[in-house]
Amino acid sequence: MTPEAAPKKDFIRSRIASDVEAGKNGGKLHTRFPPEPNGYLHIGHAQAIWLNFSVAEEFGGKCNLRFDDTNPGKEDVEYVDAIRDDIRWLGYDWDDREFYASDYFRTFYDFAVKLVRKGKAYVDSLPAEEISAYREAQKDSPYRERSVEENLDLLERMRKGEFDEGTHILRAKIDMRSPNLNLRDPAIYRIRKIHHDRTGDEWCIYPMYDFAHGFSDSIEGITHSLCTLEFENHRPLYDWFIEQLEVFHPQQIEFARLNVSFLITSKRKLLRLVQEGHVSGWDDPRMPTIRGLRRRGYTPASIRDFCSNAGITKVNGVTQLVVLENAVRKDLNATAPRMMAVLEPLKLVITNYPEGEGELLDAVNNPEDPSMGSRKLPFSRELYIERDDFREDPPKGFFRLSPGTEVRLRYAYYVKCEEVVKDANGEVVEVRCTYDPATKSGQEGAPLRKVKGTLHWVSAPHAVEAEVRLYDNLFRVPAPEVGVEDFLENLNPDSLRVLTGCKLEPELGAAEVGQNVQFERLGYFCVDQDSQDGALVFNRTVSLRDSWAKVEKAAENRG
Ligand code: ATP
Ligand code: MG
C-alpha cells in the first residue's frame, strides 16, 4: 500500500476546525452520508462519502449512514444492500449508526401536528396544477385560512386514509410572496397509498424531502450537514422548520457537486444506460458507479485519493477525467505486480535456441517495491510477441522489430529478425530470429551494444490464454449532456473492444478475481468476475501514462 496523503484542506475543513476549536456543540463533530436508496452510488457520491467520513476521522467525530427512504415506490432494498457494500469497500465504517428516515415517520407526523396547532401549517385542497399556478402568481390559496381545528381534523383523516391521492396536501404557512420559491408555503405531507419497504402499510401519507431531511439531521444530532449547492436556497426553509419546532439546529454547509469530464453523475441517466442496454449493468466497467469502477480495477485508495485531489469548493466546475485515471495509475504503479502478456500475438521462433524445455529467467515483480520479490519466468525457443511490435516495412522512427534489426526481449536476450513466414494471403504469421547468448539479461559482461527497443513476450508452450477487454470512454465528448436533446446521442460506439486468445505468462494463470496487475508496456489490468477456471477474463483499468511510442520517441531524441 502507498501511504495515503492527508486530505487536502478545503473551506469545509477550515470551517469545522474553527467550530470545533471554539467549542461549538461541545467541541463535537457529527456528520452523515444520506443516500436515497433509488440507485447505485457513483463517483459523485464517493466524494460526499469521503468528505463526511474523512472529516469525522480528522476531527475525532462520527459519521452516520442514513437512508433517505421517504419516497417509496422508487426505492428498493437491492439498493440499500449495494450502498452499504460500496461504502465499506471504499474503506469506511459507520458501526451501529445506520439509520433510516422512515424510522422517524412518527416523529415527523408529530412535528406536523405541532405546526398545525401553532397555525403554521394548513391542509390545502387545491388541485396540484393550481397550487403551482398560485405559487407562481404569489397568490394565497383559498384554503390558507382554514381553522386549526379543521386542519387537525383533515390531517388526521388524511393519515387514516379517508382521502384519495392528490385531493389534499399539508403545507407550511410561511410566505406566499417570498422571493425564495421554497418559502412559498411548501408541501409537507402528501397522500400516497403505497407500500413502504420498511414501514409496510402503516402510512398512506409521506413527508416531503425538504420536511424530512433537516429534521432527520436534527434528530440524529448532526452538527454539520454537508450537502451540495442546489440546496443552498432550501436552507432558509430547513432553518424555519427547526426554529418553529425548537429542536437541535444542525449547521448546513453547501459545496459544489463533483462533475468529471466524460462521466455522467445522475442516477436517473445511469439507470437509463442500464435499462436500455447500453451497458451490461450497474457494474459495467465503463460505468462511473462505484461498482463499475471497482470492476474496472480501481482501488479504494485511488478513489479516496482522487476525491481529495478533485477538492471541495463552492463553485461548480468540471474535474478532468485524467485526474481520476492518474490516481489509479499512481496507486497501481506502487502496488500492482508487473507481468507480461501479449494481447495480439505473433509467433517468434529463435532458430539457434535449443529445442526442449527452455530455461527459467529471473524477473522482478515490481521495481518500485523490492519487497514484492521476483519470479521465475519460462523462456523457450518459441515465443509470442505483440503483432504491433513487428513491421515488415517499418516507418521511419519505428524502434521495434523488423527484418534485419535487433531488439532486446525483456528479462531475456537480444534477438535479431532473420526471416518472416507468411500465409497464403501474404500475412506475416511468424518471425524467425537468432539470439545472442552473450546478451542474457543481468549477466556480467553482457555486451552494451545499442538495440532499438525492448519488447515484452510470452513463452508459447507455457502461455495461459485469456480474454482481455479494452475500454474507451462511454461518451465521445467531454460534456455528454451539453448541446444535445438526449445525452445518448453522444454514446461512443467503440467503447468496448474484446480480444480473445491473448497470451499470458503462466504465473497469471493463478490470478484471482479482482487482482490488479500491470501488463508491461500495455497498462493496468484486473481479473474480471466473468473469469472461470482456465478461462480468465481481464479488464484494462487504464493505459500506462505514456504510450510506449512516446517513451521511445523521447529515448530517440536523447540519442
Ligand atoms: P442523483 O442526482 O444522482 O440522483 P442525488 O443527490 O439525488 O444524486 P442522493 O442519494 O440524494 O443522490 O445523494 C446522497 C448524497 O450524495 C447527497 O448528500 C448528495 O449531496 C451527495 N451527492 C450526490 N451527487 C453528488 C456529486 N456529484 N458530488 C458530490 N456529492 C454528491
Ligand atoms: Mg438527493
Side-chain angles (χ1 to χ4, degrees), residues 33 73 86 106 151 222 288 361 368 497 527 538 555:
F33 174 65
D86 286 349
R106 179 35 75 178
N151 282 322
I222 301 304
L361 303 174
E368 301 277 319
R497 207 171 132 221
V527 183
F538 282 81

Side-chain angles (χ1 to χ4, degrees), residues 286-305:
R286 291 164 293 177
M287 289 283 271
T289 50
I290 308 224
R291 310 227 127 182
L293 290 164
R294 173 177 178 177
R295 188 166 168 191
R296 176 83 168 250
Y298 276 78
T299 56
S302 68
I303 295 179
R304 294 193 298 261
D305 189 39

Side-chain angles (χ1 to χ4, degrees), residues 27-319:
K28 288 204 167 46
L29 172 71
H30 207 145
T31 57
R32 85 289 178 262
F33 174 65
E36 184 180 352
N38 63 350
Y40 285 79
L41 299 180
H42 53 59
I43 187 71
H45 295 116
Q47 203 190 34
I49 293 167
W50 165 82
L51 175 64
N52 281 290
F53 280 95
S54 71
V55 292
E57 244 163 48
E58 186 174 341
F59 296 94
K62 287 179 178 156
C63 180
N64 293 357
L65 170 60
R66 181 198 322 129
F67 290 99
D68 228 319
D69 58 344
T70 52
N71 200 2
K74 283 198 177 159
E75 296 161 357
D76 207 306
V77 276
E78 172 200 350
Y79 298 130
V80 170
D81 293 340
I83 288 169
R84 277 203 209 108
D85 188 58
D86 286 349
I87 302 174
R88 282 212 188 91
W89 179 79
L90 274 176
Y92 297 109
D93 191 1
W94 52 97
D95 299 323
D96 56 350
R97 295 183 310 280
E98 178 172 317
F99 302 106
Y100 293 79
S102 58
D103 294 343
Y104 315 135
F105 278 171
R106 179 35 75 178
T107 312
F108 296 154
Y109 184 76
D110 292 342
F111 284 168
V113 169
K114 275 191 190 157
L115 281 181
V116 172
R117 287 223 163 90
K118 285 182 76 168
K120 297 291 184 183
Y122 61 99
V123 173
D124 199 348
S125 311
L126 282 179
E129 320 79 69
E130 284 187 47
I131 292 186
S132 327
Y134 276 53
R135 178 172 281 139
E136 217 32 64
Q138 312 196 6
K139 221 169 96 184
D140 288 354
S141 161
Y143 301 102
R144 198 172 198 262
E145 298 309 327
R146 272 177 166 154
S147 70
V148 168
E149 289 65 38
E150 188 182 2
N151 282 322
L152 283 175
D153 175 62
L154 286 169
L155 177 58
E156 174 68 5
R157 290 166 60 197
M158 278 169 67
R159 188 185 63 76
K160 284 186 175 152
E162 288 183 23
F163 306 121
D164 289 339
E165 288 189 14
T167 52
H168 305 282
I169 63 164
L170 183 71
R171 298 177 72 176
K173 193 171 182 177
I174 309 179
D175 179 4
M176 285 305 285
R177 271 152 288 278
S178 169
N180 184 344
L181 264 173
N182 296 307
L183 295 180
R184 292 186 198 161
D185 293 9
I188 295 180
Y189 263 98
R190 60 186 165 158
I191 302 170
R192 293 199 63 208
K193 303 202 163 164
I194 187 164
H195 184 86
H196 188 286
D197 281 332
R198 290 179 63 88
T199 57
D201 297 312
E202 191 184 341
W203 296 91
C204 64
I205 58 172
Y206 289 97
M208 303 302 290
Y209 177 86
D210 276 347
F211 187 67
H213 190 75
F215 282 137
S216 301
D217 283 343
S218 173
I219 292 166
E220 292 172 19
I222 301 304
T223 57
H224 294 77
S225 171
L226 312 178
C227 68
T228 43
L229 283 181
E230 66 269 27
F231 293 101
E232 191 163 18
N233 59 5
H234 296 234
R235 178 159 30 98
L237 173 59
Y238 301 162
D239 289 348
W240 186 88
F241 285 136
I242 296 279
E243 280 154 26
Q244 293 303 323
L245 273 303
E246 299 175 58
V247 290
F248 174 73
H249 194 322
Q251 177 59 55
Q252 173 170 306
I253 308 174
E254 306 87 12
F255 63 97
R257 290 177 86 84
L258 175 78
N259 298 303
V260 184
S261 62
F262 293 99
L263 303 185
I264 295 253
T265 46
S266 146
K267 279 186 277 191
R268 194 174 47 80
K269 288 179 182 161
L270 295 177
L271 182 63
R272 259 190 82 194
L273 289 171
V274 174
Q275 284 180 338
E276 296 177 20
H278 303 291
V279 293
S280 63
W282 288 99
D283 65 349
D284 185 299
R286 291 164 293 177
M287 289 283 271
T289 50
I290 308 224
R291 310 227 127 182
L293 290 164
R294 173 177 178 177
R295 188 166 168 191
R296 176 83 168 250
Y298 276 78
T299 56
S302 68
I303 295 179
R304 294 193 298 261
D305 189 39
F306 164 73
C307 293
S308 176
N309 286 331
I312 299 290
T313 70
K314 261 283 184 203
V315 212
N316 281 313
V318 178
T319 299

